[in-house]
Amino acid sequence: MPTNFTVVPVEAQGEERDPAERDAQRQEEEEDNRDRGPSEREERGGAGCLSGDGIARESSPFISSAEMDRGNMYEGKNMALFEEEMDSNPMVSSLLNKLANYTNLTQGVVEHEADEDTKRKEVKVPRMGTFIGVYLPCLQNILGVILFLRLTWIVGTAGVLESFIIVFMCCACTMLTAISMSAIATNGVVPAGGSYYMISRSLGPEFGGAVGLCFYLGTTFAGAMYILGTIEILLTYISPSAAIFKAEDGGEETEAMLNNMRVYGTCIIILMAVVVFVGVKYVNKLALVFLACVILSIIAIYAGVIKTAFDPPDFPICLLGNRTLSKRSFDVCAKFTESNNETKTTTLWRLFCNSSLHNATCDDYFSLNNVTEIQGIPGIMSGVLIDNLWSAYSEKGSIVEKKDQSSVSGSEDMKIGGRPYVFTDIMTYFTMLVGIYFPSVTGIMAGSNRSGDLKDAQKSIPTGTILAISTTSFIYLSCIVLFGACIEGVILRDKFGEAVNGNLVVGTLAWPSPWVIVIGSFFSTCGAGLQSLTGAPRLLQAIARDGIVPFIQVFGHGKANGEPTWALLLTAGICEIGILIASLDSVAPILSMFFLMCYMFVNLACAVQTLLRTPNWRPRFKYYHWTLSFLGMSLCLALMFICSWYYALIAMLIAGCIYKYIEYRGAEKEWGDGIRGLSLNAARYALLRVEDGPPHTKNWRPQLLVLLNLDCEQLVKHPRLLSFTSQLKAGKGLTIVGSVLQGTYLDKCTETQKAEENVKALMGVEKTKGFCQIVVSPSFRDGISHLIQSAGLGGMKHNTVLMAWPQSWKRTENHFSWKNFVDTVRETTAAQQALLVAKNIDLFPTNQERFTEGNIDVWWIVHDGGMLMLLPFLLRQHKVWRKCKMRIFTVAQMDDNSIQMKKDLQMFLYHLRLNAEVEVVEMFENDISAFTYEKTLMMEQRSQMLKQMQLSKNEREREAQLIHDRNTASHSTPAVKASVAASVPEKVQMTWTKEKFVAEKHKNKDTNVSGFKDIFNMKPEWGNLNQSNVRRMHTAVKLNGVVLNKSQHAQLVLLNMPGPPKNRKGDENYMEFLEVLTEGLDRVLLVRGSGREVITIYS
């Protein structure tokens, strides 16, 4: 839809700002900038710059930094309303001016997203268009070594039909990949390292780095393959006499050839590396010369095919029976020759017989079969296509035979190894041919690898690549049919042209001379090798400069103009490894794996982006669809295993190792990749699925909201709380670590970011897997309430709150801490969430500690969903608590049958599949001790004084100290000590009988009456105490004594946490009750269940 813009000039209204005022403001800003730390200046001027309102803005190559052009930005008052935002949001005119001047990024330099800390200077480099920059490199790489050296052999071995299938599959694979690549390449700027950039920005740094490095290795070994092809043409077809190593007999010929390839290959690599080092423009100039030779060679092939229709070339081949003979060892294709009416034996006779005499002993097959001579190039009208339709696979060392030729088999007594037959050098089968052929179509990335050198990569890459693939696919498919229709089958299967005097097989078809193909193929392979040595270092440089793989960052450096010097040296070194392998047929399948893996992930990237429909996915190239991408991906995967299943597994293993290395050691990058988008979509789908209702009891696990306290420097006060979290969770389920900062968000924005960084760093150290959420609120009370209400998302919300016990709640300056704590208890109950309160959290173990013995004691007073049973089981899954034993204590009242209770509890634990010792503790009624009354009196007096007396801060502290002294004195009196000892029974009865029950009842009734009278006579003010508080304190003191008696040396004690009073006036008393209940215990976890069952006996 067209959009019209109307530019309206705005006249400056009013006077310009006074220069003195402007200078004063600038000076003030400079002083303010000096006062800031380097980190603050970086925050204001770097990637996360802050605007006038303190909100971080994302950096952009089109948006100016804070201090840029500040002077002329504020000139005039017509835009004064926006002047505070000018440092991060530029005027539209300046934005459009930057866009107009923006062409592409510097050659070999990482794109603007990764340029976070430094500004690299613009470098003038050669810029190329579609034809020179993409089409020609792709054409050179695709029409490389395989077309001239191996295609005829593939057609003869696999037959025209199967060869057509091989080439069609490979070309279809590359065409589908090119379509996906075009969509990705036109979805934004594609800097240097095209294919790597596409995969990494679409699938993330892990996939991008793994596949990028594999593709780099593939491209480097491709250079080695092209160089090996160059040497094979040189030493086999151009100048065999140039060989340094000579074969003394037939058996050493292969080894001598490999050694020659190693020596010559090393020299050519050095020469090519020097050419590439001098500059990319020279490679481009040479590319035109090389490509001209390639085009002339292909034209010569088509011209030769046309010529065969009316004048086939004369290339006779010699057959013994149906076996093909190598003409390198003889010149006359006959057993005898007539000379001066005298019949003489030929050189061929002497090769099969033990002498030149007519009565010599000869090979049986030689004696029984005639020597015939047929035309190797019968022509397109000869009908030889019918013979070449079908495959002729063979074992290694087999003789190349003409299928329809008659022959008589001999006894084969003598060895055939030294005979002048044409042998097959390797075993052939369909999948092996696919692996050898596929590298010939892998040049499709040659243009995208050099995307940093292109004027307009978005336009050039799709157009040039698809045109190159279309052109080369037509050439390959037509050549298969034409080769099968023009050339005799035995010649096609003769890999090195031994039957035609050592000529290049495809050269015998060419017109006007075989030398056109030989020279053309030589320069073609040279050019392809240069293109590989040009593209591979830039690919490595792009990966290194991204910084995702730490150990290769040194290869990101280069010359001043961006040329990757160090990467070129490494590429030449790796290429030398391929040269040392020295066999083109051995190197080719290795390349196929790496290239196919790269193409597979390009298709996957396009498919993922298309299906996710991310807003940023807006390719200019419209002729793509996710089904085509999936088809291409499936075809790539199938071809990998068709070529070689074990090579495929090895390549995947290498990529997997690189992936895991980047995941653990590499730099974290956020590129908006498709895998992250896929994760978000999967998370959204899962969240919608679990939204329906609460999980079943069998799926219930504590989803924790951990409430942390921060100090004035935004550091965590109790790090052990996160240690305990990781021990309880073991990485499973949801963990939200939350904290509250007091104030307003605009004022506390920087502190919030700092606090979040500190908490996340501590979570990493403690290996707590979860999310961090910092809330800024005018009061701590409201902030905690907000966290409890709103933390989590959908069905992934917390069901349990974990917090530390406020140790300093009795201090007067922290009089709000106990109020916040009690309100938190109330709110978790109202939200139907469980609550865990860790007391003495700093005494809890770290993740590095190990308990070799000890108990986890559970005091099960009331049943609130079974959470007390589940928590020790979860803790014992962690190695810190693994060797601790679980003990469960429950309290029997006067009317309970403790023996039956123990049996029932043991059966209940058996059905729950929990291993624990069971003990029932009986608590009998006794009088309320003087210590209890004194404790209650101190509690009420303190509470009353703090509520009623309006004291200053100093007076309040002094009063609190007096109360503390009185409390301490009451503890130290002998009478109180005696009453404390009396309140804890020396012997806890385990079994109640009727006689014991009646006797205890009468005893208590009598002692209660006299006891109360004595107590009231002793302390008259006790009679005015709140009897509810007295009873609660009595329970706390008595239960604390029982727990101390049984669990004082336990590693951890889990207790039911009583609920707060309904009357809010007794909140401070509630804190005192809990303090008395847990007094004298090292590590206590107070547990308050949510009311729902969290553990079940059913499967």
Side-chain angles (χ1 to χ4, degrees):
M1 182 176 71
T3 305
N4 296 323
F5 290 95
T6 303
V7 180
V8 181
V10 181
E11 295 184 1
Q13 298 179 3
E15 299 292 331
E16 286 203 350
R17 185 180 302 172
D18 184 24
E21 178 187 348
R22 199 164 55 242
D23 293 340
Q25 178 184 353
R26 189 179 296 113
Q27 183 177 0
E28 181 182 346
E29 288 172 349
E30 289 174 355
E31 290 174 357
D32 184 37
N33 195 33
R34 279 196 302 269
D35 292 338
R36 292 190 192 95
S39 60
E40 291 184 68
R41 288 199 296 268
E42 186 177 345
E43 286 174 2
R44 289 181 62 89
C49 52
L50 298 176
S51 68
D53 55 3
I55 299 174
R57 308 289 189 188
E58 184 179 358
S59 65
S60 168
F62 313 128
I63 296 178
S64 173
S65 294
E67 301 298 330
M68 186 176 178
D69 300 332
R70 185 183 293 275
N72 57 13
M73 268 187 186
Y74 299 154
E75 296 285 346
K77 296 184 179 179
N78 51 0
M79 290 295 170
L81 181 63
F82 300 97
E83 68 180 14
E84 289 189 356
E85 300 179 22
M86 289 295 183
D87 56 352
S88 59
N89 296 344
M91 294 285 291
V92 173
S93 58
S94 62
L95 171 64
L96 294 177
N97 182 45
K98 290 175 185 295
L99 284 170
N101 294 330
Y102 181 79
T103 54
N104 203 338
L105 296 175
T106 57
Q107 170 189 348
V109 175
V110 181
E111 75 291 350
H112 65 86
E113 293 175 346
D115 191 12
E116 296 165 347
D117 302 321
T118 58
K119 295 178 180 178
R120 299 191 176 96
K121 58 184 180 179
E122 190 80 20
V123 181
K124 290 186 178 180
V125 293
R127 297 293 181 185
M128 295 170 288
T130 303
F131 187 73
I132 294 180
V134 180
Y135 183 76
L136 297 188
C138 288
L139 215 62
Q140 273 188 304
N141 278 269
I142 296 173
L143 297 175
V145 62
I146 302 295
L147 171 64
F148 302 113
L149 296 185
R150 294 292 183 269
L151 191 59
T152 54
W153 173 69
I154 290 173
V155 172
T157 305
V160 172
L161 293 180
E162 291 187 22
S163 300
F164 197 90
I165 293 172
I166 292 173
V167 175
F168 182 80
M169 277 197 309
C170 297
C171 290
C173 176
T174 54
M175 180 59 78
L176 292 171
T177 304
I179 292 172
S180 299
M181 185 181 71
S182 300
I184 300 173
T186 57
N187 189 51
V189 179
V190 180
S195 56
Y196 157 73
Y197 178 90
M198 294 175 197
I199 296 172
S200 62
R201 269 48 175 189
S202 298
L203 295 178
E206 294 87 3
F207 276 111
V211 180
L213 284 176
C214 286
F215 186 59
Y216 163 74
L217 292 174
T219 308
T220 305
F221 276 102
M225 184 186 73
Y226 295 131
I227 292 171
L228 291 174
T230 303
I231 304 166
E232 184 177 311
I233 294 169
L234 176 68
L235 297 182
T236 307
Y237 307 113
I238 296 179
S239 178
S241 60
I244 298 174
F245 298 92
K246 306 288 185 179
E248 296 180 0
D249 54 49
E252 297 179 359
E253 186 174 346
T254 304
E255 188 63 31
M257 185 64 179
L258 294 179
N259 289 329
N260 286 320
M261 284 195 166
R262 292 180 181 116
V263 173
Y264 276 93
T266 304
C267 298
I268 291 179
I269 281 181
I270 295 172
L271 180 63
M272 286 187 172
V274 170
V275 172
V276 173
F277 178 78
V278 169
V280 67
K281 60 182 180 180
Y282 298 105
V283 176
N284 296 326
K285 290 178 180 178
L286 291 170
L288 293 175
V289 177
F290 294 152
L291 190 67
C293 298
V294 175
I295 293 172
L296 286 176
S297 301
I298 294 171
I299 292 173
I301 292 173
Y302 284 107
V305 169
I306 295 172
K307 182 176 178 292
T308 62
F310 52 87
D311 184 17
D314 182 28
F315 277 100
I317 57 175
C318 190
L319 298 177
L320 175 61
N322 63 351
R323 297 178 179 178
T324 312
L325 297 177
S326 171
K327 280 197 171 182
R328 289 185 176 182
S329 305
F330 62 94
D331 50 356
V332 178
C333 182
K335 294 181 180 180
F336 306 99
T337 55
E338 295 288 337
S339 176
N340 298 326
N341 292 327
E342 182 181 353
T343 303
K344 294 182 178 179
T345 57
T346 61
T347 306
L348 182 63
W349 174 279
R350 289 190 289 274
L351 290 172
F352 282 93
C353 303
N354 57 4
S355 71
S356 58
L357 302 176
H358 290 273
N359 59 353
T361 304
C362 296
D363 181 77
D364 276 356
Y365 190 87
F366 181 76
S367 303
L368 297 173
N369 292 277
N370 295 324
V371 176
T372 56
E373 196 170 53
I374 60 173
Q375 278 298 325
I377 314 291
I380 195 169
M381 307 300 292
S382 63
V384 73
L385 178 65
I386 304 299
D387 299 331
N388 291 332
L389 280 178
W390 313 110
S391 61
Y393 300 116
S394 59
E395 297 289 330
K396 180 180 180 180
S398 302
I399 301 172
V400 176
E401 299 178 343
K402 184 172 171 54
K403 288 181 284 189
D404 57 351
Q405 187 84 2
S406 60
S407 65
V408 180
S409 57
S411 61
E412 302 292 349
D413 293 334
M414 299 178 67
K415 294 183 179 180
I416 63 173
R419 307 301 182 204
Y421 295 126
V422 178
F423 297 100
T424 57
D425 61 334
I426 55 175
M427 184 174 68
T428 53
Y429 44 91
F430 179 81
T431 57
M432 186 270 291
L433 295 180
V434 175
I436 290 179
Y437 172 75
F438 189 82
S440 67
V441 297
T442 55
I444 66 168
M445 294 286 190
S448 65
N449 284 345
R450 302 166 65 223
S451 53
D453 302 327
L454 300 174
K455 289 180 183 176
D456 185 0
Q458 291 194 41
K459 178 182 177 183
S460 298
I461 290 176
T463 308
T465 304
I466 292 178
L467 279 177
I469 292 175
S470 302
T471 305
T472 54
S473 297
F474 171 78
I475 292 172
Y476 278 128
L477 293 172
S478 60
C479 281
I480 285 174
V481 177
L482 295 176
F483 289 165
C486 297
I487 305 176
E488 183 62 51
V490 290
I491 297 296
L492 290 173
R493 292 191 292 279
D494 182 6
K495 183 186 289 187
F496 301 107
E498 296 178 21
V500 283
N501 298 320
N503 280 304
L504 185 63
V505 173
V506 69
T508 61
L509 181 63
W511 180 86
S513 167
W515 283 101
V516 176
I517 298 294
V518 172
I519 300 300
S521 61
F522 178 78
F523 284 114
S524 168
T525 51
C526 278
L530 275 174
Q531 295 291 349
S532 296
L533 286 178
T534 304
R538 281 163 176 71
L539 181 60
L540 182 63
Q541 185 186 45
I543 300 172
R545 287 196 172 180
D546 263 350
I548 59 172
V549 186
F551 68 86
I552 65 167
Q553 288 188 5
V554 65
F555 299 108
H557 306 296
K559 293 195 293 185
N561 65 346
E563 289 291 328
T565 309
W566 293 106
L568 177 62
L569 290 175
L570 179 67
T571 302
I574 297 175
C575 203
E576 176 65 21
I577 297 174
I579 295 298
L580 295 177
I581 296 175
S583 172
L584 190 148
D585 295 325
S586 300
V587 173
I590 301 174
L591 307 185
S592 300
M593 294 304 111
F594 290 130
F595 284 120
L596 279 167
M597 183 179 295
C598 179
Y599 297 166
M600 179 176 71
F601 280 100
V602 168
N603 284 296
L604 176 62
C606 181
V608 167
Q609 296 278 31
T610 307
L611 290 175
L612 287 178
R613 297 176 184 172
T614 52
N616 192 53
W617 179 247
R618 304 184 300 273
R620 293 188 180 278
F621 181 80
K622 301 298 181 184
Y623 307 102
Y624 70 94
H625 195 266
W626 66 268
T627 53
L628 294 177
S629 300
F630 265 113
L631 181 61
M633 184 182 68
S634 305
L635 192 56
C636 289
L637 188 62
L639 284 174
M640 284 181 71
F641 284 92
I642 285 174
C643 293
S644 173
W645 64 267
Y646 47 89
Y647 274 176
L649 293 177
I650 292 172
M652 288 180 174
L653 180 64
I654 293 173
C657 292
I658 299 172
Y659 177 95
K660 297 306 291 184
Y661 175 80
I662 295 173
E663 187 178 44
Y664 285 112
R665 296 292 305 276
E668 292 185 5
K669 298 285 183 179
E670 174 50 61
W671 287 329
D673 51 86
I675 293 297
R676 183 172 177 82
L678 195 62
S679 302
L680 291 173
N681 265 22
R684 180 185 66 86
Y685 175 77
L687 284 172
L688 292 175
R689 288 290 303 272
V690 300
E691 180 71 22
D692 297 331
H696 190 273
T697 304
K698 290 186 288 187
N699 294 328
W700 194 95
R701 66 168 61 247
Q703 316 285 12
L704 291 180
L705 168 62
V706 185
L707 298 179
L708 295 179
N709 289 328
L710 304 178
D711 59 18
C712 57
E713 296 182 357
Q714 317 309 329
L715 297 173
V716 178
K717 286 185 178 179
H718 302 294
R720 299 287 179 94
L721 200 60
L722 285 180
S723 303
F724 184 69
T725 302
S726 60
Q727 294 160 22
L728 186 63
K729 299 293 292 182
K732 302 295 190 299
L734 174 71
T735 302
I736 302 173
V737 180
S739 187
V740 178
L741 297 182
Q742 193 167 2
T744 59
Y745 185 70
L746 287 178
D747 297 334
K748 296 284 186 178
C749 180
T750 306
E751 288 89 338
T752 304
Q753 293 177 354
K754 183 180 178 182
E756 190 169 348
E757 290 173 2
N758 292 339
V759 172
K760 285 183 176 178
L762 184 60
M763 290 173 67
V765 171
E766 299 294 344
K767 298 180 181 179
T768 305
K769 297 181 180 178
F771 308 98
C772 175
Q773 190 167 353
I774 307 295
V775 171
V776 181
S777 178
S779 69
F780 286 102
R781 165 76 185 79
D782 292 341
I784 292 175
S785 178
H786 296 159
L787 277 174
I788 291 174
Q789 293 178 65
S790 60
L793 181 63
M796 287 297 287
K797 289 182 69 69
H798 62 278
N799 55 29
T800 305
V801 177
L802 172 62
M803 60 190 300
W805 173 263
Q807 299 285 357
S808 58
W809 70 271
K810 287 186 178 182
R811 294 181 188 171
T812 318
E813 64 269 17
N814 291 332
H815 63 282
F816 283 113
S817 65
W818 59 268
K819 290 184 178 179
N820 294 335
F821 177 81
V822 178
D823 285 339
T824 303
V825 176
R826 286 196 174 98
E827 289 195 350
T828 54
T829 304
Q832 296 183 336
Q833 295 172 5
L835 177 64
L836 308 178
V837 179
K839 192 176 179 193
N840 301 328
I841 185 63
D842 294 328
L843 299 178
F844 276 58
T846 63
N847 289 327
Q848 287 72 39
E849 293 182 43
R850 302 287 182 273
F851 288 135
T852 56
E853 58 182 2
N855 300 312
I856 300 177
D857 285 357
V858 177
W859 284 85
W860 192 18
I861 312 299
V862 294
H863 180 64
D864 54 1
M867 196 167 182
L868 278 168
M869 310 289 183
L870 188 61
L871 291 176
F873 170 77
L874 295 176
L875 282 175
R876 291 180 70 240
Q877 306 303 307
H878 197 274
K879 46 194 172 185
V880 173
W881 305 91
R882 189 164 293 158
K883 295 187 178 181
C884 293
K885 295 179 181 179
M886 178 177 169
R887 298 193 302 181
I888 296 181
F889 297 90
T890 188
V891 177
Q893 298 300 317
M894 198 67 86
D895 298 333
D896 295 330
N897 185 339
S898 55
I899 296 177
Q900 189 61 41
M901 278 180 66
K902 185 173 182 179
K903 289 181 179 178
D904 293 343
L905 183 54
Q906 287 174 336
M907 183 58 66
F908 182 56
L909 292 176
Y910 175 77
H911 286 306
L912 289 176
R913 289 90 62 201
L914 294 176
N915 296 320
E917 296 179 16
V918 175
E919 189 168 340
V920 178
V921 177
E922 296 167 342
M923 289 181 59
F924 48 82
E925 294 182 7
N926 59 358
D927 57 339
I928 300 176
S929 65
F931 173 72
T932 301
Y933 277 103
E934 190 68 23
K935 197 81 173 173
T936 309
L937 178 62
M938 294 300 103
M939 177 185 74
E940 289 195 357
Q941 284 180 346
R942 180 180 185 277
S943 178
Q944 192 68 20
M945 278 187 284
L946 289 179
K947 286 177 182 177
Q948 292 181 355
M949 296 173 65
Q950 301 295 327
L951 303 174
S952 66
K953 183 178 179 182
N954 293 335
E955 292 171 331
R956 191 182 296 266
E957 289 176 353
R958 200 159 46 246
E959 184 65 28
Q961 186 62 41
L962 287 173
I963 295 172
H964 176 72
D965 294 342
R966 289 177 61 190
N967 197 3
T968 306
S970 68
H971 272 281
S972 60
T973 56
V976 174
K977 285 186 177 181
S979 65
V980 172
S983 67
V984 181
E986 294 181 1
K987 182 179 180 184
V988 179
Q989 300 291 334
M990 286 301 299
T991 307
W992 285 101
T993 62
K994 188 175 181 181
E995 292 77 8
K996 282 184 181 180
F997 176 75
V998 174
E1000 191 69 32
K1001 195 172 183 181
H1002 286 293
K1003 176 186 172 185
N1004 288 335
K1005 189 182 296 183
D1006 296 337
T1007 55
N1008 281 345
V1009 176
S1010 60
F1012 277 117
K1013 287 180 181 178
D1014 294 339
I1015 290 170
F1016 289 136
N1017 289 334
M1018 188 166 57
K1019 291 285 180 101
E1021 62 269 25
W1022 288 358
N1024 299 324
L1025 293 177
N1026 186 326
Q1027 291 304 307
S1028 174
N1029 287 341
V1030 173
R1031 289 195 307 272
R1032 290 170 183 268
M1033 184 63 74
H1034 175 64
T1035 304
V1037 171
K1038 192 169 177 59
L1039 190 57
N1040 175 255
V1042 174
V1043 173
L1044 276 176
N1045 187 42
K1046 294 289 184 181
S1047 304
Q1048 189 169 10
H1049 302 293
Q1051 303 291 8
L1052 179 64
V1053 176
L1054 283 78
L1055 269 169
N1056 276 117
M1057 182 178 180
K1062 295 181 180 179
N1063 184 5
R1064 289 178 176 267
K1065 294 180 180 178
D1067 286 355
E1068 192 177 17
N1069 299 338
Y1070 172 69
M1071 299 294 292
E1072 189 71 44
F1073 296 145
L1074 294 181
E1075 191 74 63
V1076 171
L1077 179 63
T1078 57
E1079 195 172 3
L1081 297 172
D1082 289 340
R1083 304 181 194 92
V1084 183
L1085 187 65
L1086 294 171
V1087 180
R1088 183 162 175 78
S1090 61
R1092 63 161 294 169
E1093 292 292 335
V1094 301
I1095 193 166
T1096 179
I1097 64 173
Y1098 299 104
S1099 61

